Amino acid sequence: GTKMEVPVKLATMFGLRREEVLGLRWSAFDFSKRTPTINHTCVLVGNAAVNVNRTKNESSNRTLYMTDEMASYLKCVKKQQREQQLIQGEQYAFTGYVCVDEYGQQLHPNYISERFREILKKNGLRHIRFHDLRHTCASLLMNHGYETADISKMLGHSTITTTVDIYGHIDYIIRYIPDRSYEYNYKNFSDIIDEVLKKIIYNGKGIEINTAGLRYGLNATNPSAEIVLRYRELGGEIITI
């Protein structure tokens, strides 16, 4: 219910960069086709926020798909802004941007980063950057079986390598299982998993440990401790949390 709700939702659901979130205008949405188009950004020049009709690179200029749930949410946000405009009257400045304050003013990039940090600290959550919500989006999509190439296009990466190298929190068993109702473990698939880990190590890449399972009472990380230990035994050196 705060000014941060909409930016956080957009970054997490669409995997948007901060400048893309703040540059989103209502005119970018086609609710009949369930699509937003990313072609306008709000960037920092010194301490000033500047709106530009371009994105980070050519691949970042893209059209995304939104679920019915997300479309309904955004319609409600738009309705609330219209109601706020009636309440504020002449004090309300309609800018056409999605992420605005109670007076219709576009939110500043520094406000987003600082306020996001404050919210995490206030609620006892570990520090991450607002930009890391893109990681969350990519990780969730990967763990739900989406193809890396499709995720790369959604995030606006210039190469698929960027998506694979930086954004994956993958449990190598769960990622490729045919039946998720069955309890899989490392030992049953050690030969396959070892080959995956060896390839990662050979290419000088690392793995990221997602600890959300511990926070939600699942008593396990993703990937599991067995896989992390095996990665180290095989010579893996790059691990992030």
Side-chain angles (χ1 to χ4, degrees):
T2 70
K3 287 181 284 188
M4 287 296 296
E5 179 180 302
V6 177
V8 168
K9 192 110 174 177
L10 290 170
T12 306
M13 296 301 293
F14 294 126
L16 301 181
R17 302 176 176 93
R18 183 183 66 176
E19 62 265 28
E20 294 170 344
V21 169
L22 296 179
L24 264 181
R25 297 172 291 188
W26 288 114
S27 59
F29 288 90
D30 186 331
F31 286 101
S32 64
K33 294 181 180 179
R34 296 287 190 269
T35 59
T37 298
I38 312 303
N39 57 14
H40 182 84
T41 57
C42 177
V43 299
L44 273 179
V45 179
N47 287 321
V50 179
N51 293 304
V52 294
N53 288 316
R54 66 173 185 271
T55 53
K56 183 178 180 180
N57 49 50
E58 186 177 348
S59 58
S60 296
N61 194 321
R62 61 204 189 276
T63 298
L64 305 175
Y65 171 78
M66 58 180 165
T67 62
D68 290 343
E69 181 182 1
M70 191 62 180
S72 296
Y73 170 77
L74 289 169
K75 286 179 180 179
C76 287
V77 171
K78 191 174 185 180
K79 181 182 177 182
Q80 290 169 0
Q81 290 183 5
R82 287 173 177 168
E83 292 172 350
Q84 190 66 24
Q85 184 175 9
L86 292 175
I87 294 171
Q88 299 296 346
E90 293 182 357
Q91 290 184 300
Y92 192 94
F94 180 76
T95 59
Y97 288 94
V98 178
C99 297
V100 297
D101 63 16
E102 63 270 27
Y103 295 101
Q105 296 289 347
Q106 184 183 18
L107 298 181
H108 193 281
N110 286 341
Y111 172 84
I112 292 292
S113 296
E114 293 168 6
R115 184 64 183 134
F116 185 68
R117 182 169 57 250
E118 291 171 0
I119 291 172
L120 294 179
K121 185 176 181 180
K122 181 180 179 180
N123 290 277
L125 301 173
R126 71 180 179 90
H127 171 71
I128 63 170
R129 303 167 300 165
F130 182 81
H131 184 82
D132 291 330
L133 294 176
R134 274 168 62 80
H135 299 229
T136 300
C137 177
S139 299
L140 290 172
L141 291 173
M142 284 183 174
N143 286 333
H144 279 81
Y146 285 83
E147 293 298 325
T148 306
D150 293 332
I151 298 172
S152 182
K153 290 178 182 177
M154 178 178 176
L155 297 176
H157 287 156
S158 55
T159 67
I160 194 172
T161 305
T162 304
T163 312
V164 175
D165 287 357
I166 302 175
Y167 289 88
H169 305 188
I170 303 173
D171 186 311
Y172 299 103
I173 297 174
I174 302 301
R175 176 66 173 86
Y176 295 104
I177 59 175
D179 181 5
R180 299 195 181 193
S181 64
Y182 183 80
E183 184 177 351
Y184 289 79
N185 60 63
Y186 166 75
K187 293 180 181 178
N188 291 343
F189 300 90
S190 59
D191 54 338
I192 298 174
I193 296 170
D194 279 1
E195 286 303 312
V196 174
L197 294 176
K198 288 175 183 177
K199 188 71 172 179
I200 291 172
I201 295 166
Y202 177 80
N203 288 322
K205 308 303 179 184
I207 61 175
E208 180 157 317
I209 302 174
N210 187 337
T211 61
L214 300 177
R215 188 165 63 252
Y216 293 110
L218 301 179
N219 299 319
T221 59
N222 185 1
S224 67
E226 283 183 304
I227 295 176
V228 175
L229 179 60
R230 184 57 178 158
Y231 170 74
R232 291 289 291 124
E233 289 175 346
L234 291 171
E237 297 180 345
I238 304 171
I239 296 176
T240 62
I241 298 177

